[in-house]
Amino acid sequence: MTSDFQPRPADRFTFGLWTVGNVGRDPFGEATRPGFSAPHIVQKLAELGAYGVNLHDNDLVPIDASAGERDRLVAEFQQALSDHGLVVPMATTNLFSDPVFKDGAFTSADARVRAYALQKTMHSMDLGHELGAQTYVFWGGREGTEVDASGKLLDALAWFRDSLNFLAEYSQSQGYGYRFALEPKPNEPRGDIFFPTAGSMLGFIATLDQPELFGVNPEFAHDTMAGLNFAHAVAQIIDAGKLFHIDLNDQKPGRFDQDLRFGAENLKTAFFLVKLLEDSGYDGPRHFDAHALRTEDEAGVWAFARGCMRTYLILRDRARQFNEDPEIQAALAAYRVEDAELSSLTRQFSPENAQALKNRTFDRALLGQRGPGLEHLDQLTVELLLGVR
Ligand code: GCO
Ligand code: MN
Ligand code: MN
């Protein structure tokens, strides 16, 4: 491992066309910088050491493009990808910008909108396959409500399920072999978005016809907006074997969706997230779903992109250091108390184990007196992160 923190394709960093291409528009103000063409983004990301670039259908092809225009844009993009050695690991559909989706796409109360959403997604899956994507993300940005008097809570779940089952079969019938990653978010742009958390998605996946094709695409900012601990959510997804993709960024809790540069805000959680991803052997893309601050010009955009990747690499190096630090490892070892005999009783139920456990006497007061040394361990971690270890 090198320690110059220079991103390389082997690090598997990806950005969306929509992320570095973000023009700084917000609900209160117009664009503050021009958009870049897809080939320009490909060239710049390759220069910075990224591995790939992801897209929504309409990041590349406008929703009202003619067939000829579509083919030209796709050909130019493909040429840039091959010129600069970037890949497209993930594709997704824009089911949120156009007014047709203002009250939902797969969960619209209007059957015509639901059908159009399916049609648009199939075309977008065709495009993703043409570009080599193997993961297909569903982020239901408009799938939610402000008005629960609409009475569609149960229907929406069923419509969403039918759509995913349909599209999984479409992928198979076309031989695309996609793995689908569902992205939870609690709110914004809807007042309440369906499937607000990783746990909701995991529960829902189990109800699909082919659950093995579906996993989760968790996002740092989405859990943080809701005041949740993102590393805990990702651990649960890994435990379920469902980490199909990941969106990295940062966010202050309880605010509007900020999409900050990775590591810009919650460094400690970012550290434990990187450590979790690296220690678990996650080998998928490290995708940054963030954008440069609205204050920035083009130079600021590339500084932002480089910063996301460098911070990940620095935290990865800190995780290695954590795993090798003798004092930290001693504190960790002291934290855990193993007891082989008791573990053999508790690992698996049997009538004998249950009876032996019930007969056992525990010194509850003594167990309650033990200090686990977590203050010491946490301070060592902080000092490591501050660079003084
Ligand atoms: C958001 C989401 C999106 C999705 C994207 C890809 O908060 O806007 O995170 O950026 O990730 O649509 O599915
Ligand atoms: Mn987001
Ligand atoms: Mn996202």
Side-chain angles (χ1 to χ4, degrees):
M1 185 179 297
T2 50
S3 59
D4 58 357
F5 308 122
Q6 165 62 41
R8 293 177 173 77
D11 299 318
R12 310 205 72 189
F13 292 129
T14 62
F15 290 83
L17 282 181
W18 72 94
T19 63
V20 287
N22 181 287
V23 294
R25 191 175 289 115
D26 75 10
F28 302 93
E30 297 305 335
T32 59
R33 52 184 177 254
F36 311 129
S37 72
H40 181 65
I41 290 174
V42 169
Q43 181 202 328
K44 296 302 287 189
L45 288 178
E47 282 169 17
L48 291 172
Y51 163 72
V53 61
N54 302 320
L55 75 164
H56 304 84
D57 47 356
N58 303 137
D59 297 339
L60 183 65
V61 183
I63 195 165
D64 50 5
S66 67
E69 200 183 341
R70 175 208 189 269
D71 291 347
R72 179 182 61 78
L73 290 164
V74 173
E76 285 171 5
F77 184 51
Q78 281 179 317
Q79 186 62 51
L81 292 168
S82 92
D83 287 349
H84 300 287
L86 246 60
V87 296
V88 176
M90 178 274 260
T92 183
T93 331
N94 185 325
L95 295 173
F96 44 88
S97 294
D98 194 88
V100 69
F101 300 124
K102 64 191 175 191
D103 191 27
F106 300 141
T107 64
S108 168
D110 186 332
R112 297 164 301 175
V113 175
R114 297 200 298 275
Y116 173 63
L118 267 190
Q119 182 203 62
K120 188 173 193 293
T121 303
M122 286 190 287
H123 285 307
S124 177
M125 287 168 64
D126 299 344
L127 172 66
H129 178 73
E130 200 176 331
L131 296 169
Q134 287 168 341
T135 302
Y136 202 88
V137 164
F138 289 102
W139 173 62
R142 298 280 175 196
E143 315 290 13
T145 61
E146 291 79 30
V147 177
D148 285 338
S150 57
K152 66 173 182 181
L153 295 188
L154 287 172
D155 295 318
L157 301 179
W159 290 327
F160 199 70
R161 178 181 301 114
D162 288 347
S163 300
L164 295 187
N165 287 336
F166 184 107
L167 292 166
E169 287 209 50
Y170 175 69
S171 170
Q172 288 171 315
S173 72
Q174 294 288 114
Y176 290 167
Y178 278 123
R179 298 205 318 160
F180 300 98
L182 310 183
E183 181 175 344
K185 186 175 185 182
N187 58 276
E188 209 176 326
R190 298 310 299 263
D192 290 289
I193 297 181
F194 301 134
F195 312 107
T197 63
S200 324
M201 281 305 185
L202 288 172
F204 180 69
I205 286 170
T207 73
L208 296 173
D209 286 349
Q210 302 186 80
E212 66 282 2
L213 296 180
F214 291 85
V216 183
N217 179 36
E219 176 171 317
F220 200 121
H222 296 178
D223 283 62
T224 309
M225 284 166 73
L228 300 174
N229 183 324
F230 185 57
H232 287 218
V234 173
Q236 194 190 354
I237 298 167
I238 290 174
D239 180 66
K242 290 296 188 186
L243 189 62
F244 283 18
H245 198 263
I246 190 162
D247 281 5
L248 302 173
N249 54 11
D250 213 339
Q251 170 77 32
K252 286 193 200 231
R255 308 281 168 99
F256 64 95
D257 182 6
Q258 296 176 302
D259 282 339
L260 300 171
R261 191 181 74 258
F262 182 62
E265 193 58 41
N266 301 286
L267 266 179
K268 210 167 166 191
T269 305
F271 168 69
F272 285 112
L273 173 71
V274 170
K275 181 164 156 39
L276 178 68
L277 291 177
E278 298 297 323
D279 290 351
S280 74
Y282 171 72
D283 64 356
R286 276 78 173 153
H287 173 67
F288 297 106
D289 187 11
H291 53 77
L293 298 170
R294 187 167 182 269
T295 52
E296 300 307 289
D297 61 5
E298 174 162 5
V301 171
W302 305 122
F304 147 84
R306 189 161 178 272
C308 286
M309 295 187 283
R310 276 181 63 79
T311 299
Y312 188 100
L313 292 176
I314 295 166
L315 292 175
R316 187 175 76 181
D317 194 59
R318 290 287 178 271
R320 177 196 54 76
Q321 206 185 330
F322 183 100
N323 291 343
E324 291 171 1
D325 187 304
E327 205 177 340
I328 290 177
Q329 291 309 309
L332 275 173
Y335 175 53
R336 292 187 186 221
V337 178
E338 293 303 338
D339 186 310
E341 189 210 341
L342 281 176
S343 295
S344 77
L345 290 181
T346 56
R347 192 169 298 122
Q348 173 85 52
F349 174 83
S350 70
E352 298 72 32
N353 282 351
Q355 194 53 54
L357 201 51
K358 287 174 85 176
N359 293 343
R360 189 86 181 202
T361 306
F362 289 95
D363 189 341
R364 198 181 75 249
L366 187 75
L367 293 179
Q369 280 164 17
R370 175 176 172 253
L374 291 173
E375 285 286 1
H376 176 56
L377 177 61
D378 194 59
Q379 181 64 21
L380 290 174
T381 308
V382 168
E383 293 191 12
L384 180 136
L385 289 177
L386 292 176
V388 297
R389 287 193 69 74

